Amino acid sequence: MSAVPGPIRDLRGYGAHAPKAPWPDGKRIAVNFCINYEEGAERSVLNGDDGSEDRIADVFVARRMGERDLNMEQSYGFGARVGYWRLLHAFTDRGLQATINLVGLAGELVPHPLAAMLEAGFDIQCHGWRWIDYHTLSEDEERAHIQKSIDQVVQLTGAPPLGYYAGLPSLNTRRLCAEMGFLYDSDAYDDERPYWSTEFSRPILVLPYSLDTNDSRFSRGEGYETGDQFVTYIKDSFDLLRAEGGTMLTVGLHARLLGRPGRIGALHQILGYIQGHEDAWICRRSEIAEAWARAYPCK
């Protein structure tokens, strides 16, 4: 039987021998908030796609092939025009920093909130050049998209990005990220601690992301309906992970969803709650990766 390309499945993980957390000052849990910066880079005939977007918005519609969907466009537009600023101030009002999951084209089309987030000290995790399914691209096309994202971050920050999260990866994504020099990859949902992937020519750290502690569940018709539900779920997740100790919690945010007036209060409650625990470390994603790589270098 021939080998199937792509990352190797490891169903054992750390098992009963999970490593001790290397978080600073003896913190029991690392909490990272990721702001998905996608608005303007979604599928649209305006971007040369064959149809409109149909994902992760308050608008529940089927794709319009060959046509624009103004309702979907404006749902994304709300995030760009209003939502980003609400998310930004939720963190800066408390002196906190988050991670920008930056889709390259969105950064070009909506530069002002991005500049404000970088000014506030947020870090960048590349999130593809477009908010599309990378399984549909050739390896060369995906490599070119990743390189454009790297070049953009260097131009914005003066340094290459450390992390990558396609969201909709191909079987080539992690290998390309390893080959192209990223410290870590976040296209994983299979653990609560970072771990090394060594099946490619260069090892790469994997920082698991999360789709359950993620406001995208507001958009699915089967998850959160009110901000209070989101608060409860994040609190419950935080409390259990903090009690166990040693893990990381990722909370995914979307400006077009949580930036709505009926939901943004949930983020303020969550941040206030976590800040009330001195043994919790609210941090940027790059800080988690660097702390883990220092404490547990790949052997």
Side-chain angles (χ1 to χ4, degrees):
M1 181 177 178
S2 61
V4 178
I8 297 172
R9 293 188 72 188
D10 177 2
L11 302 180
R12 184 176 65 179
Y14 290 118
H17 306 286
K20 181 180 178 181
W23 314 141
D25 302 319
K27 304 291 187 183
R28 291 188 59 81
I29 181 173
V31 185
N32 171 240
F33 292 84
C34 286
I35 297 175
N36 289 278
Y37 210 98
E38 300 160 348
E39 279 72 0
E42 74 276 10
R43 290 178 297 179
S44 169
V45 295
L46 297 175
N47 290 330
D49 301 306
D50 59 3
S52 61
E53 186 59 79
D54 61 355
R55 300 168 300 178
I56 311 185
D58 285 319
V59 180
F60 295 90
V61 294
R63 293 192 72 195
R64 289 187 180 178
M65 302 308 296
E67 298 181 35
R68 296 171 64 183
D69 186 321
L70 297 182
N71 287 342
M72 181 60 76
E73 287 179 15
Q74 292 182 25
S75 179
Y76 272 73
F78 178 88
R81 293 163 61 100
V82 181
Y84 284 138
W85 299 106
R86 285 199 175 124
L87 296 184
L88 170 66
H89 292 308
F91 290 93
T92 57
D93 287 352
R94 292 172 171 78
L96 299 174
Q97 296 167 332
T99 292
I100 308 163
N101 278 354
L102 179 62
V103 177
L105 181 60
E108 285 193 347
L109 296 176
V110 192
H112 299 104
L114 174 60
M117 292 177 186
L118 292 175
E119 179 67 24
F122 292 22
D123 67 345
I124 292 178
Q125 173 175 251
C126 292
H127 191 20
W129 187 256
R130 291 284 317 284
W131 174 225
I132 56 175
D133 186 348
Y134 276 90
H135 186 74
T136 65
L137 271 61
S138 70
E139 180 176 334
D140 287 343
E141 289 173 324
E142 184 174 11
R143 182 184 291 107
H145 276 226
I146 295 173
Q147 188 61 56
K148 287 181 71 174
S149 292
I150 294 172
D151 294 343
Q152 179 188 42
V153 174
V154 171
Q155 183 176 14
L156 287 169
T157 69
L162 296 182
Y164 192 87
Y165 173 63
L168 295 169
S170 75
L171 293 175
N172 300 313
T173 303
R174 183 170 295 167
R175 173 174 56 80
L176 289 173
C177 288
E179 292 173 357
M180 298 175 78
F182 286 93
L183 170 62
Y184 73 89
D185 163 46
S186 290
D187 279 302
Y189 311 98
D190 56 358
D191 211 314
E192 295 163 350
R193 289 175 172 83
Y195 60 89
W196 288 99
S197 172
T198 60
E199 64 261 40
F200 306 119
S201 60
R202 177 182 171 276
I204 187 168
L205 189 64
V206 178
L207 264 65
Y209 193 65
S210 175
L211 295 180
D212 68 308
T213 52
N214 193 308
D215 71 356
S216 62
R217 293 181 63 194
F218 280 114
S219 72
R220 301 176 195 171
E222 55 186 19
Y224 310 125
E225 294 293 334
T226 67
D228 286 345
Q229 292 174 325
F230 187 49
V231 172
T232 297
Y233 194 88
I234 301 300
K235 281 184 176 181
D236 288 349
S237 300
F238 171 81
D239 287 345
L240 189 282
L241 293 176
R242 174 174 168 265
E244 291 182 344
T247 55
M248 57 180 286
L249 170 65
T250 299
V251 182
L253 309 175
H254 297 78
R256 60 191 177 274
L257 295 174
L258 207 67
R260 298 284 178 178
R263 297 176 182 146
I264 190 63
L267 179 57
H268 288 275
Q269 291 183 57
I270 290 166
L271 292 174
Y273 182 75
I274 295 175
Q275 278 192 297
H277 296 78
E278 293 184 355
D279 55 1
W281 181 36
I282 300 177
C283 57
R284 299 172 298 180
R285 205 160 186 82
S286 59
E287 294 175 300
I288 294 176
E290 290 173 326
W292 197 272
R294 283 194 303 268
Y296 301 107
C298 186
K299 298 179 181 179

